[in-house]
Amino acid sequence: MPLCRRNKAQRMCLFLLALVAASHSLNPSNFFATPSTHEAHVPVKHTLLSPLIIQDGRIVACSRKNLFAFDRNGSLAWVVPLGLFCREDIAPVTDDRGKIYLVAENTVLKINPSKIGSIQPPSKVLFSHNSSEEILGLSISPSYLSFFITVRNRGIFSFLLRGELQWSIGPTLRRLRYTQGCMADQLNCYFNSAPVVDLCEGTLYVSNTEGQLYSVYIRNTQFRWIQSLGVFGDKMIITPGNNGFVYATFPKQAMVVCLDASTGNITWQQTVGPLSSEMVSPLVDSNGWISIGSLDGILYSISPNGDLKKLLEETASESAIQASPALDCSGFAVYISQTRLDSKITHNIGTTSYVSAMRPVQVLFTLLAPATGTVYWTGDYPGEVSDLLLKSDLQYFAVDERMVLAFLSSGRVGNTFQCYTTWQRTAWTCSQAAPKFPRTNSGDEDANLLFLLVQTIILVVLSVVVRFCCIFWRKEKLKDNGLSGFLEKRRSLHMKKKELNKLISQLEQKAIEEATANETLEDLGQIVKQKEGVERKLYSSYSLGLDRTVSSGAVASILPLYNGKMKSHSFHNSMHKESITIFNTFSDSSSGEERESGTGYSGSSSSSWETENPEVEIQEVEEDEGKIVQASRVYSNPIYNEIEMDLAGGERRLGLKRRTHSSTY
């Protein structure tokens, strides 16, 4: 079937296309008809359902297997054949580029108006399935470039706008040992509402058959919070406030419940009049007031703080409000319709109210601001509104109150407010939301803490394992002998080092007690060398850190020296540029004559004292900025005390004296 755009030459093409689309008649009892349809011989015209005002101000509505678009003045702009029957209960949605997404039967279609009249088809199938589970709802998030659908008994599915599946989630989520959602009957529990997008919070709202309201993050499959509202009912209409609040309306109980969008806690609840059907939903304006019409003819408006205001009470006695309000282009006023009836009777059965009404007589349309209650315009049908319809192409269609309200809002009838774009209105309402730190309910919080703790432990263990592997894969010894052989060799080296340390301590003690035992000092030097070899292996080939070679100059060497008469023990550390030599001298004289050593690097000095009393001289040679500074310290047997004397020439010597008498050298 060819596609037609509106101009003077193609108007007839559009009307013929519209007439071909009408293949059967509908019951007009709940719909408006232009005056010409009152005559019995004129067939009922095809009906426009679920209107949507898109970005350019046009009105888009489905009729059977076709999608129609109308300008602000009601002129037909274009029509696209779909090949499938539109879903009356699911309104189409649009993105910020003017593309339209709708559900026809069990298929999600994308309509691109810019391709109308071109070679490329304007419609594209994004999702379709042949199972018996029907699609319950459709929503879109332009900022996340995603659309979402709810499928009965399946869950929520998230798609990119080009049709690629991102994720899906069911009503039950098991984290560790804690189950979230569907606490009563997990087998027969499923999502039973359309997914609703909160443009400020970046979350979705959906309900299940047990009366639980979910807040789901758009970017992942995690529940932000779950609030049980089963005490009010299991069937609810979810409305995002885009101002830090979300509203759940229970039609059977005529109850509106406000929840905090970040925590899910109930902020307030208000009772309204009886509602016409489960399809009637409230509307939130840019001031944060939520408004909903009732069969008692009153418009109930509730402030963000929960203050209830009843509007249009003067004309409510013989009228009823059956359709949802429509927001004007400014975002601060709403259009509302009141249907005047021949008679109306209200019945109260328990906590439920029922309204019986006779034939409708007239419909009154009103533009007002819920925050102030100010009425800016009124029009009736038949009357001013019907005259407007007769001047447009809408006269060739059967329209209901929702379509007329959309026509008035798009055409700015009686409206003197400044218009704002959808993005501007959303930015304004989001700015009203006070910043809050999101918290989950107690069960979710405990599960989250436990989950984070387990994740932290796993990360620590993984980091240790990775570090272990990064260190050991470079070990040549490990590659040759394997891990078990490597660790066994390392353990044996540590044990050998301990044994050598113990043996060195024993030999040092023995050398002190038996100063004449030259063999002891020789053994000590050999063991020290063995210890250095063990440490070198531990620090290089068998270390747990990166392999490194220990410089021989960084470790002090202990070498025994013996010239037949005097035993010395020399320590050398090239890192600190320091040399220390310990002399053990033995003298047969007790004259106290002092023998001085030369000033060479390896030279030494010794003094003899009382017979059979060994003395120990430590000679330190340090390099300081190229100069060699020599200092000597002499230690004797413990029966001697140490006296320090400063001598000329930069040398420092220590004399010794007995405890029984003192002498200065």
Side-chain angles (χ1 to χ4, degrees), residues 2 76 104 125 147 155 221 227 249 267 288 293 341 365 515 531 538 545 591 654:
L76 187 61
V125 176
F147 72 89
T221 57
Q227 181 62 262
T249 303
T267 303
L341 308 169
F365 295 92
K531 177 185 174 184
L538 286 174
S591 61
L654 295 179

Side-chain angles (χ1 to χ4, degrees), residues 306-326:
D307 300 327
L308 178 65
K309 184 184 296 185
K310 296 181 180 180
L311 305 175
L312 304 178
E313 289 186 280
E314 298 80 2
T315 56
S317 58
E318 297 298 329
S319 62
I321 300 177
Q322 305 178 70
S324 303

Side-chain angles (χ1 to χ4, degrees), residues 207-240:
S207 63
N208 65 12
T209 53
E210 294 182 1
Q212 290 180 319
L213 178 62
Y214 296 71
S215 176
V216 185
Y217 288 107
I218 289 179
R219 280 301 187 191
N220 52 50
T221 57
Q222 300 297 326
F223 297 150
R224 189 180 187 184
W225 49 258
I226 301 176
Q227 181 62 262
S228 179
L229 302 176
V231 65
F232 302 107
D234 56 2
K235 183 67 175 179
M236 68 184 77
I237 300 173
I238 306 169
T239 306

